[in-house]
Amino acid sequence: DVKVTQSSRYLVKRTGEKVFLECVQDMDHENMFWYRQDPGLGLRLIYFSYDVKMKEKGDIPEGYSVSREKKERFSLILESASTNQTSMYLCASSLPQGFSEAFFGQGTRLTVV
Amino acid sequence: GQQLNQSPQSMFIQEGEDVSMNCTSSSIFNTWLWYKQDPGEGPVLLIALYKAGELTSNGRLTAQFGITRKDSFLNISASIPSDVGIYFCAGRTNTGNQFYFGTGTSLTVIP
């Protein structure tokens, strides 16, 4: 059974804190993605990575950074959390270009107070 | 990034009714995917389509890859209460790494 696991289901952080969201996949996928999901705005791509140590900005990278030191792990970092980063964060992985699917983790509901 | 046009936005149906939703794109895709998301959970893959005109079933769910390669359709037959959730389409081109997502269809099934 394919698996993408996000380290936390729920997080509450204070404004200004540095926040780490971790994602691990066991499918040996090259591609990994971080999205945020807000009501009425759908899924928006923050960053994706197509190989270890490689990353590309998505549609809304401001205020975020990422790290991919190992193929199976992709971390999203909020350098200084703000209340407008309160959201549902979803990690996904896939094979590279071509005919393949994206598999999602269970999501992390982050609240910044 | 591109967002796909998905309709309807929401549906309220009686248990036992059939459901249809669709997704359109301005780009040609070589992969169409359909997901279901339960409240507070991540999306779960329902059906994957890889060929124009392809019709694929998963239980009571049937999805089609449009022949123009710019659209896809999902049908749910004989809906039941556990079908409640948000259904998303997603597409991918032959050369790109990214997936593009629809805005979602929220389904409510009234027992």
Side-chain angles (χ1 to χ4, degrees):
Chain A
D1 210 16
V2 297
K3 215 155 190 179
V4 179
T5 304
Q6 294 182 228
S7 54
S8 305
R9 292 294 301 272
Y10 301 96
L11 276 178
V12 180
K13 296 292 181 180
R14 295 196 181 278
T15 301
E17 274 194 76
K18 191 168 186 175
V19 181
F20 294 85
L21 302 184
E22 308 284 346
C23 177
V24 177
Q25 51 99 0
D26 66 359
M27 294 166 282
D28 203 35
H29 282 168
E30 285 78 4
N31 289 2
M32 295 188 76
F33 307 83
W34 275 106
Y35 299 91
R36 66 176 281 177
Q37 184 180 32
D38 301 289
L41 297 177
L43 283 158
R44 293 182 291 168
L45 181 64
I46 304 171
Y47 269 97
F48 75 97
S49 167
Y50 52 91
D51 201 351
V52 174
K53 296 192 188 294
M54 307 302 288
K55 61 186 179 186
E56 282 198 24
K57 293 180 180 179
D59 301 318
I60 52 165
E62 297 78 19
Y64 303 95
S65 62
V66 290
S67 171
R68 191 155 180 214
E69 297 296 319
K70 293 186 177 181
K71 190 176 186 181
E72 67 270 18
R73 188 179 295 270
F74 192 34
S75 302
L76 179 69
I77 304 152
L78 286 66
E79 298 291 344
S80 178
S82 64
T83 54
N84 63 13
Q85 292 178 309
T86 292
S87 186
M88 174 71 137
Y89 290 87
L90 292 165
C91 174
S93 73
S94 78
L95 290 170
Q97 302 166 5
F99 303 98
S100 63
E101 311 92 4
F103 294 93
F104 284 87
Q106 74 276 35
T108 297
R109 171 71 64 184
L110 173 67
T111 303
V112 183
V113 297
Chain B
Q2 178 184 187
Q3 226 172 34
L4 309 183
N5 294 315
Q6 187 173 345
S7 65
Q9 259 191 326
S10 61
M11 302 182 76
F12 294 81
I13 60 166
Q14 294 283 348
E15 184 175 356
E17 286 185 6
D18 297 344
V19 172
S20 291
M21 60 190 78
N22 69 80
C23 209
T24 60
S25 164
S26 56
S27 303
I28 289 175
F29 288 139
N30 74 312
T31 298
W32 279 99
L33 308 169
W34 284 93
Y35 293 87
K36 180 183 181 229
Q37 185 176 24
D38 292 326
E41 301 288 333
V44 174
L45 181 67
L46 299 173
I47 293 178
L49 302 157
Y50 301 112
K51 191 176 174 183
E54 179 182 359
L55 193 70
T56 297
S57 293
N58 177 4
R60 293 177 296 104
L61 278 62
T62 301
Q64 184 162 24
F65 193 136
I67 56 171
T68 66
R69 298 173 66 193
K70 291 185 176 183
D71 55 8
S72 181
F73 309 88
L74 177 70
N75 295 312
I76 305 172
S77 63
S79 58
I80 58 178
S82 62
D83 290 336
V84 165
I86 299 178
Y87 292 79
F88 288 98
C89 61
R92 198 185 206 189
T93 65
N94 199 31
T95 54
N97 276 304
Q98 291 193 41
F99 294 87
Y100 299 95
F101 291 89
T103 46
T105 295
S106 175
L107 178 64
T108 302
V109 179
I110 303 163

